[in-house]
Amino acid sequence: SFTMNMYLFVYDLMQFCGHSWIFTNMIIRFMTFGKDSLADTFHSIGLVMRLCQLLSVLEILHILIGIDKSRLLPRFLQITERIIVLFVVINSQEEVQGKYIVCVLFFLWNLLDVVRYTYNMLARMGIYYLPLTWLNFSLCIPLYPLSVLAKGFAICVSLPYFESFGTYSIKLPFPFTFSIYFPYVLKMYLIVLFTGMCFIIRNLFSERTAHLGTGNIKNKRS
Protein backbone atom coordinates (compact mmCIF):
# COMPACT_ATOMS: atom_id res chain seq x y z
CA SER A 1 0.00 0.00 0.00
CA PHE A 2 0.99 3.64 -0.35
CA THR A 3 1.23 4.04 3.44
CA MET A 4 3.55 1.06 3.85
CA ASN A 5 5.66 2.21 0.92
CA MET A 6 6.02 5.66 2.47
CA TYR A 7 6.94 4.10 5.81
CA LEU A 8 9.66 2.01 4.17
CA PHE A 9 10.92 5.06 2.31
CA VAL A 10 11.20 7.03 5.58
CA TYR A 11 12.96 4.07 7.21
CA ASP A 12 15.47 3.83 4.35
CA LEU A 13 15.97 7.60 4.46
CA MET A 14 16.74 7.52 8.19
CA GLN A 15 19.24 4.71 7.70
CA PHE A 16 20.79 6.49 4.72
CA CYS A 17 21.24 9.70 6.74
CA GLY A 18 22.78 7.82 9.67
CA HIS A 19 25.22 5.75 7.62
CA SER A 20 26.10 8.69 5.35
CA TRP A 21 26.95 10.77 8.41
CA ILE A 22 29.15 7.99 9.79
CA PHE A 23 30.86 7.37 6.44
CA THR A 24 31.49 11.09 5.81
CA ASN A 25 32.69 11.61 9.38
CA MET A 26 35.19 8.77 9.08
CA ILE A 27 36.61 10.11 5.81
CA ILE A 28 36.89 13.70 7.06
CA ARG A 29 38.51 12.61 10.32
CA PHE A 30 41.03 10.46 8.45
CA MET A 31 41.89 13.29 6.03
CA THR A 32 42.28 15.69 8.96
CA PHE A 33 44.04 13.59 11.59
CA GLY A 34 45.45 10.71 9.55
CA LYS A 35 46.14 7.42 11.31
CA ASP A 36 45.49 9.01 14.71
CA SER A 37 41.78 9.11 13.89
CA LEU A 38 41.56 5.34 13.52
CA ALA A 39 41.98 4.56 17.20
CA ASP A 40 39.24 7.04 18.13
CA THR A 41 36.66 5.79 15.63
CA PHE A 42 34.36 4.04 18.09
CA HIS A 43 34.28 6.93 20.55
CA SER A 44 33.49 9.40 17.76
CA ILE A 45 30.77 7.56 15.86
CA GLY A 46 29.94 4.55 18.03
CA LEU A 47 26.66 5.99 19.34
CA VAL A 48 25.22 6.66 15.88
CA MET A 49 26.49 3.28 14.69
CA ARG A 50 24.72 1.50 17.53
CA LEU A 51 21.49 3.39 16.84
CA CYS A 52 21.59 2.45 13.15
CA GLN A 53 22.22 -1.21 13.92
CA LEU A 54 19.44 -1.33 16.49
CA LEU A 55 17.10 0.26 13.96
CA SER A 56 18.05 -2.40 11.41
CA VAL A 57 16.32 -5.03 13.60
CA LEU A 58 13.06 -3.61 12.18
CA GLU A 59 14.03 -5.13 8.83
CA ILE A 60 13.39 -8.59 10.27
CA LEU A 61 9.93 -7.42 11.31
CA HIS A 62 9.33 -5.97 7.84
CA ILE A 63 9.98 -9.39 6.30
CA LEU A 64 7.87 -11.25 8.87
CA ILE A 65 4.79 -9.07 8.29
CA GLY A 66 5.25 -9.23 4.51
CA ILE A 67 5.99 -5.60 3.57
CA ASP A 68 9.53 -6.52 2.55
CA LYS A 69 9.94 -9.39 0.09
CA SER A 70 13.57 -10.15 1.01
CA ARG A 71 14.47 -13.63 2.25
CA LEU A 72 14.30 -13.87 6.03
CA LEU A 73 17.22 -16.14 6.94
CA PRO A 74 20.02 -14.32 5.04
CA ARG A 75 18.87 -10.93 6.35
CA PHE A 76 18.49 -12.33 9.89
CA LEU A 77 22.03 -13.72 9.81
CA GLN A 78 23.52 -10.47 8.51
CA ILE A 79 21.77 -8.35 11.14
CA THR A 80 22.53 -10.65 14.08
CA GLU A 81 26.20 -10.88 13.03
CA ARG A 82 26.54 -7.12 13.34
CA ILE A 83 24.55 -6.92 16.58
CA ILE A 84 26.70 -9.60 18.24
CA VAL A 85 30.03 -8.17 17.11
CA LEU A 86 29.11 -4.54 17.82
CA PHE A 87 27.28 -4.86 21.14
CA VAL A 88 28.68 -8.07 22.65
CA VAL A 89 32.29 -7.97 21.45
CA ILE A 90 33.26 -4.34 20.77
CA ASN A 91 30.97 -2.38 23.07
CA SER A 92 31.73 -4.55 26.10
CA GLN A 93 35.53 -4.34 25.84
CA GLU A 94 36.99 -0.83 25.93
CA GLU A 95 40.41 -2.17 24.97
CA VAL A 96 39.02 -3.50 21.68
CA GLN A 97 37.32 -0.19 20.80
CA GLY A 98 40.65 1.48 20.05
CA LYS A 99 41.86 -1.23 17.64
CA TYR A 100 42.23 -0.40 13.95
CA ILE A 101 40.02 -3.37 13.03
CA VAL A 102 37.00 -1.48 14.40
CA CYS A 103 37.61 1.31 11.89
CA VAL A 104 37.98 -1.19 9.05
CA LEU A 105 34.77 -2.94 10.07
CA PHE A 106 32.78 0.29 10.33
CA PHE A 107 34.09 1.44 6.94
CA LEU A 108 32.97 -1.77 5.23
CA TRP A 109 29.56 -1.75 6.91
CA ASN A 110 28.81 1.85 6.04
CA LEU A 111 30.06 1.64 2.48
CA LEU A 112 27.69 -1.24 1.86
CA ASP A 113 24.77 0.42 3.64
CA VAL A 114 25.08 3.82 1.96
CA VAL A 115 24.76 2.11 -1.41
CA ARG A 116 22.01 -0.27 -0.27
CA TYR A 117 19.77 2.35 1.32
CA THR A 118 20.25 4.72 -1.62
CA TYR A 119 19.10 1.96 -3.96
CA ASN A 120 16.16 1.08 -1.67
CA MET A 121 14.95 4.68 -1.43
CA LEU A 122 14.91 5.13 -5.20
CA ALA A 123 13.30 1.72 -5.69
CA ARG A 124 10.43 2.73 -3.38
CA MET A 125 9.70 5.51 -5.87
CA GLY A 126 10.02 3.19 -8.86
CA ILE A 127 13.34 4.69 -9.94
CA TYR A 128 16.05 2.28 -11.08
CA TYR A 129 19.43 3.49 -12.32
CA LEU A 130 21.37 0.70 -13.95
CA PRO A 131 24.80 1.77 -12.54
CA LEU A 132 23.35 1.99 -9.01
CA THR A 133 21.52 -1.32 -9.40
CA TRP A 134 24.70 -2.97 -10.61
CA LEU A 135 26.69 -1.43 -7.75
CA ASN A 136 24.14 -2.47 -5.11
CA PHE A 137 24.08 -6.11 -6.16
CA SER A 138 27.77 -6.40 -7.07
CA LEU A 139 29.64 -4.47 -4.37
CA CYS A 140 28.37 -6.73 -1.58
CA ILE A 141 29.87 -9.85 -3.16
CA PRO A 142 33.54 -8.91 -2.49
CA LEU A 143 32.90 -6.65 0.52
CA TYR A 144 30.68 -8.97 2.55
CA PRO A 145 33.36 -11.71 2.87
CA LEU A 146 35.87 -9.00 3.82
CA SER A 147 33.50 -7.77 6.53
CA VAL A 148 33.14 -11.34 7.85
CA LEU A 149 36.92 -11.66 8.01
CA ALA A 150 37.02 -8.34 9.88
CA LYS A 151 34.36 -9.58 12.31
CA GLY A 152 36.31 -12.77 12.88
CA PHE A 153 39.50 -10.83 13.47
CA ALA A 154 37.72 -8.50 15.93
CA ILE A 155 36.47 -11.55 17.85
CA CYS A 156 39.98 -13.05 17.94
CA VAL A 157 41.43 -9.74 19.17
CA SER A 158 38.80 -9.61 21.94
CA LEU A 159 39.41 -13.14 23.26
CA PRO A 160 42.36 -12.28 25.57
CA TYR A 161 40.29 -9.53 27.21
CA PHE A 162 37.29 -11.80 27.75
CA GLU A 163 39.67 -14.34 29.25
CA SER A 164 41.34 -11.79 31.55
CA PHE A 165 38.21 -9.97 32.74
CA GLY A 166 35.78 -12.87 32.70
CA THR A 167 33.13 -10.78 30.93
CA TYR A 168 29.90 -12.75 30.37
CA SER A 169 31.47 -15.91 31.84
CA ILE A 170 29.09 -17.45 34.35
CA LYS A 171 29.70 -20.03 37.06
CA LEU A 172 26.40 -21.59 38.04
CA PRO A 173 25.82 -22.19 41.77
CA PHE A 174 25.09 -25.52 43.44
CA PRO A 175 23.47 -27.92 42.49
CA PHE A 176 24.67 -27.17 38.95
CA THR A 177 28.20 -28.35 38.28
CA PHE A 178 29.13 -26.50 35.12
CA SER A 179 29.97 -22.98 34.08
CA ILE A 180 29.75 -20.97 30.87
CA TYR A 181 33.17 -19.76 29.72
CA PHE A 182 32.40 -17.02 27.21
CA PRO A 183 35.64 -17.23 25.15
CA TYR A 184 34.58 -20.78 24.21
CA VAL A 185 31.19 -19.43 23.14
CA LEU A 186 32.91 -16.87 20.89
CA LYS A 187 35.16 -19.54 19.37
CA MET A 188 32.11 -21.66 18.54
CA TYR A 189 30.41 -18.59 17.10
CA LEU A 190 33.34 -18.14 14.72
CA ILE A 191 32.37 -21.48 13.14
CA VAL A 192 28.76 -20.29 12.81
CA LEU A 193 29.95 -16.97 11.36
CA PHE A 194 32.00 -18.52 8.56
CA THR A 195 29.42 -21.23 7.86
CA GLY A 196 26.73 -18.59 7.52
CA MET A 197 29.00 -16.59 5.20
CA CYS A 198 28.91 -19.39 2.62
CA PHE A 199 25.11 -19.45 2.70
CA ILE A 200 24.79 -15.66 2.46
CA ILE A 201 27.28 -15.38 -0.42
CA ARG A 202 25.25 -17.92 -2.38
CA ASN A 203 22.13 -15.84 -1.68
CA LEU A 204 23.92 -12.66 -2.81
CA PHE A 205 24.81 -14.28 -6.13
CA SER A 206 21.22 -15.43 -6.65
CA GLU A 207 19.92 -11.92 -5.88
CA ARG A 208 22.41 -10.43 -8.31
CA THR A 209 21.29 -12.81 -11.05
CA ALA A 210 17.62 -12.07 -10.34
CA HIS A 211 18.01 -8.27 -10.43
CA LEU A 212 20.65 -7.90 -13.13
CA GLY A 213 19.14 -10.28 -15.65
CA THR A 214 18.61 -8.70 -19.07
CA GLY A 215 14.84 -8.95 -18.88
CA ASN A 216 14.65 -7.37 -15.43
CA ILE A 217 16.89 -4.47 -16.38
CA LYS A 218 14.85 -3.73 -19.49
CA ASN A 219 11.59 -3.79 -17.51
CA LYS A 220 12.96 -1.48 -14.82
CA ARG A 221 14.37 0.97 -17.34
CA SER A 222 11.07 1.09 -19.22
Side-chain angles (χ1 to χ4, degrees), residues 97-108:
Q97 297 169 10
K99 304 293 185 182
Y100 288 171
I101 190 61
V102 174
C103 182
V104 173
L105 193 56
F106 283 10
F107 181 84
L108 292 172

Side-chain angles (χ1 to χ4, degrees), residues 6-205:
M6 283 301 300
Y7 161 75
L8 290 174
F9 177 83
V10 172
Y11 168 81
D12 291 330
L13 177 61
M14 292 173 61
Q15 288 281 36
F16 170 78
C17 291
H19 288 289
S20 296
W21 181 87
I22 295 172
F23 192 68
T24 304
N25 187 287
M26 290 180 66
I27 292 175
I28 293 176
R29 284 176 52 81
F30 181 76
M31 293 176 64
T32 304
F33 303 107
K35 293 171 61 176
D36 293 338
S37 67
L38 303 182
D40 198 37
T41 297
F42 184 84
H43 297 287
S44 301
I45 63 175
L47 177 60
V48 180
M49 192 71 198
R50 280 172 283 179
L51 290 174
C52 288
Q53 296 308 317
L54 284 176
L55 192 62
S56 70
V57 176
L58 288 175
E59 296 179 25
I60 299 175
L61 179 62
H62 296 164
I63 299 173
L64 289 174
I65 64 178
I67 61 175
D68 188 340
K69 302 305 179 184
S70 301
R71 295 180 63 188
L72 176 61
L73 184 57
R75 196 74 199 112
F76 174 81
L77 289 175
Q78 289 176 296
I79 291 173
T80 52
E81 285 172 9
R82 293 190 181 188
I83 294 293
I84 291 172
V85 172
L86 179 59
F87 286 91
V88 178
V89 175
I90 299 175
N91 190 63
S92 67
Q93 299 296 336
E94 189 173 351
E95 291 76 8
V96 178
Q97 297 169 10
K99 304 293 185 182
Y100 288 171
I101 190 61
V102 174
C103 182
V104 173
L105 193 56
F106 283 10
F107 181 84
L108 292 172
W109 285 355
N110 286 280
L111 178 58
L112 286 169
D113 285 340
V114 167
V115 174
R116 184 165 70 91
Y117 289 114
T118 301
Y119 171 83
N120 286 348
M121 281 192 300
L122 294 177
R124 307 294 179 200
M125 298 185 292
I127 301 173
Y128 297 91
Y129 290 112
L130 180 55
L132 180 60
T133 303
W134 182 90
L135 188 64
N136 180 61
F137 292 101
S138 301
L139 188 65
C140 54
I141 292 176
L143 291 193
Y144 175 72
L146 288 177
S147 72
V148 172
L149 290 175
K151 292 171 196 171
F153 188 78
I155 291 174
C156 292
V157 167
S158 71
L159 287 175
Y161 302 106
F162 280 105
E163 292 171 354
S164 299
F165 302 135
T167 310
Y168 301 134
S169 294
I170 302 172
K171 187 173 184 179
L172 298 177
F174 183 84
F176 302 100
T177 58
F178 67 93
S179 59
I180 300 174
Y181 188 55
F182 196 69
Y184 290 162
V185 176
L186 287 178
K187 290 175 182 178
M188 288 188 291
Y189 180 69
L190 283 173
I191 300 174
V192 176
L193 185 65
F194 286 100
T195 303
M197 179 185 70
C198 299
F199 170 75
I200 292 174
I201 289 176
R202 185 173 62 179
N203 181 71
L204 292 174
F205 273 106

